[in-house]
Amino acid sequence: MSTNSAPSTSPAHPDLRGQLPQVLLATLASAVGFWAWMLIAPIQKYYSEGMDLSEGQISLMLATPVLVGALGRIVTGALTDRFGARKMFTVVLLASVPAVLLVALAGSIGSFVLLIVAGTLLGVAGTIFAVGVPFSSAWYEPKRRGFANGVFGMGMIGTAVSAFFTPRLLSGIGYFGTHLFIAGLLVVMAALVWFFLRESPAWTPNAQPLVPKVMGALKLPITWQMSFLYGIVFGGFVAFSTFLPKYLTTIYPDQVDPVGAGTRTALFAVAAVVARPIGGVLADKFGPKVIALVSLAGIVSLAYIVGQQPEEGILTGTVFILMASAMGLGMGAVFAWIGPSTPPEKVGAVSGVVAAAGGLGGYFPPLAMGATYHAETNSYALGLWLLVLVGTFALVVAGMLQGARGKAAP
């Protein structure tokens, strides 16, 4: 059958020209969604001081959007399989606008309860990742999906943009102005997606109901294996992106102010963003297992160094950037592992579950850091030791798994 006879279905050799601009547009949409998702963390000091919040309340405030963004990815991924990325990108971006405005209201009237409600709704923005993974995969042949998902994964740059610009916008145009700007940006991005994004010719809708689809994904061992690994690499990235401004201003109060903490968090996020596509490409070439092992070994080693709480300066900055890079390599490797190890009709569902596990992995560390903070010594060492232990276990698990090459499963 020729490609001309069925241009909108999934032919044997679909015309995938124009694939990179489409994936880049999806990446830009993801970046805007990530900015909204991480809106609270860079200016957490505004809330903590204005509402006189405890360590536990601050941790809950930071973790709530992460939890909803994680669990919501299961639903969003399945809906993307059914309705397509163009519709789902638009819906997620527009649905995030009321959440951003509600956060603005909560902060302006000093209501912690309303802020938690608003943060819950803000989690919708974090589900955007599950829209782009099946979209990007459909635009590339299986042997290049590590690259495709690595490029789309660069949408995580939205966390860096949020960390760098949100505190500066707050200082420059005020609290309400900052939130109105971000809400407007979400609307503009939704319009761009609606008018310019198009589905891959290789994509076909999957109308299977949500529950059977998710249950089918959960029956596959690869789903659980990759969920655990992604919970470490992406969960660690989300956790540090969320908690790093709080960590730096607490451990180094005399050396780091909120703007400086935002800058350092932005550099952390950029390092992970740059490393993610590299991890995907290297996984396509050498196999995702090898890259995942390198990633996890790096995370464990660097988390140990951070746990020693070295003096703020070049060493601290370098260690955090290297840790972010290790996490980025791992993210690219895990999603390169999914494609060749999963039945093609279940890639979307499996990707949604794994993406959810990654977001969920970012929910618990901020709570753990808040719960294990030792005020007398001003130390988060116990929480960081937990990361070392969990990362070591993940390293053992990854070493025991069967490797996968960057090619289609037979």
Side-chain angles (χ1 to χ4, degrees):
M1 181 182 292
S2 68
T3 57
N4 293 331
S5 62
S8 62
T9 61
S10 180
H13 301 288
D15 183 4
L16 298 178
R17 287 177 297 181
Q19 55 195 183
L20 185 58
Q22 289 297 311
V23 173
L24 289 176
L25 180 57
T27 303
L28 183 59
S30 178
V32 174
F34 266 76
W35 185 352
W37 190 33
M38 293 292 164
L39 176 59
I40 294 176
I43 54 175
Q44 53 82 26
K45 200 165 186 177
Y46 175 90
Y47 302 108
S48 63
E49 293 181 350
M51 300 181 191
D52 193 24
L53 303 180
S54 66
E55 284 285 331
Q57 288 176 314
I58 294 171
S59 297
L60 181 62
M61 173 186 70
L62 297 176
T64 298
V66 175
L67 175 64
V68 178
L71 297 179
R73 290 178 179 190
I74 299 175
V75 177
T76 303
L79 291 176
T80 301
D81 283 343
R82 183 168 187 171
F83 296 108
R86 174 174 170 263
K87 292 179 180 178
M88 290 305 300
F89 268 129
T90 305
V91 168
V92 169
L93 289 166
L94 291 179
S96 303
V97 173
V100 170
L101 297 178
L102 194 60
V103 169
L105 177 61
S108 65
I109 65 175
S111 173
F112 177 72
V113 173
L114 184 58
L115 183 60
I116 295 301
V117 173
T120 300
L121 297 177
L122 197 63
V124 172
T127 68
I128 200 166
F129 183 81
V131 179
V133 170
F135 173 80
S136 302
S137 294
W139 270 109
Y140 282 81
E141 59 274 19
K143 67 181 180 180
R144 296 196 65 202
R145 284 176 184 167
F147 167 77
N149 286 314
V151 171
F152 172 72
M154 292 179 72
M156 298 185 312
I157 193 70
T159 61
V161 173
S162 183
F164 186 82
F165 285 106
T166 305
R168 288 167 171 80
L169 286 172
L170 186 68
S171 300
I173 62 177
Y175 182 76
F176 259 114
T178 297
H179 289 77
L180 289 175
F181 174 81
I182 296 170
L185 189 61
L186 287 165
V187 173
V188 170
M189 193 67 243
L192 289 175
V193 166
W194 182 256
F195 289 110
F196 296 105
L197 197 76
R198 62 187 178 93
E199 306 291 348
S200 166
W203 176 78
T204 53
N206 185 338
Q208 183 182 4
L210 173 62
V211 174
K213 184 181 297 185
V214 173
M215 293 304 296
L218 293 176
K219 291 179 181 178
L220 299 175
I222 191 67
T223 303
W224 294 96
Q225 294 160 356
M226 295 303 105
S227 291
F228 177 62
L229 297 183
Y230 201 63
I232 303 299
V233 294
F234 184 75
F237 166 76
V238 172
F240 274 100
S241 296
T242 303
F243 203 79
L244 197 53
K246 167 63 177 169
Y247 176 89
L248 291 172
T249 54
T250 300
I251 301 301
Y252 309 108
D254 297 327
Q255 293 88 11
V256 184
D257 61 12
V259 173
T263 301
R264 287 162 174 77
T265 304
L267 292 173
F268 177 90
V270 167
V273 167
V274 171
R276 180 163 188 153
I278 296 174
V281 171
L282 292 176
D284 285 341
K285 185 172 183 179
F286 300 108
K289 179 177 179 177
V290 174
I291 307 305
L293 290 172
V294 171
S295 164
L296 292 167
I299 292 171
V300 170
S301 302
L302 294 162
Y304 172 79
I305 296 175
V306 173
Q308 307 307 305
Q309 291 187 195
E311 295 213 3
E312 206 282 323
I314 295 176
L315 175 60
T316 304
T318 301
V319 168
F320 275 118
I321 288 176
L322 289 176
M323 180 185 288
S325 300
M327 291 173 175
L329 289 176
M331 292 179 228
V334 168
F335 268 91
W337 208 330
I338 292 174
S341 305
T342 306
E345 70 277 8
K346 294 185 178 181
V347 169
V350 171
S351 297
V353 174
V354 173
L360 195 60
Y363 172 71
F364 294 104
L367 296 179
M369 294 288 276
T372 59
Y373 173 69
H374 197 279
E376 293 181 5
T377 59
N378 189 33
S379 173
Y380 289 107
L382 182 56
L384 292 165
W385 268 108
L386 291 175
L387 175 59
V388 171
L389 293 175
V390 174
T392 302
F393 181 63
L395 187 61
V396 174
V397 170
M400 296 172 62
L401 297 180
Q402 181 179 358
R405 299 296 297 181
K407 58 186 179 182

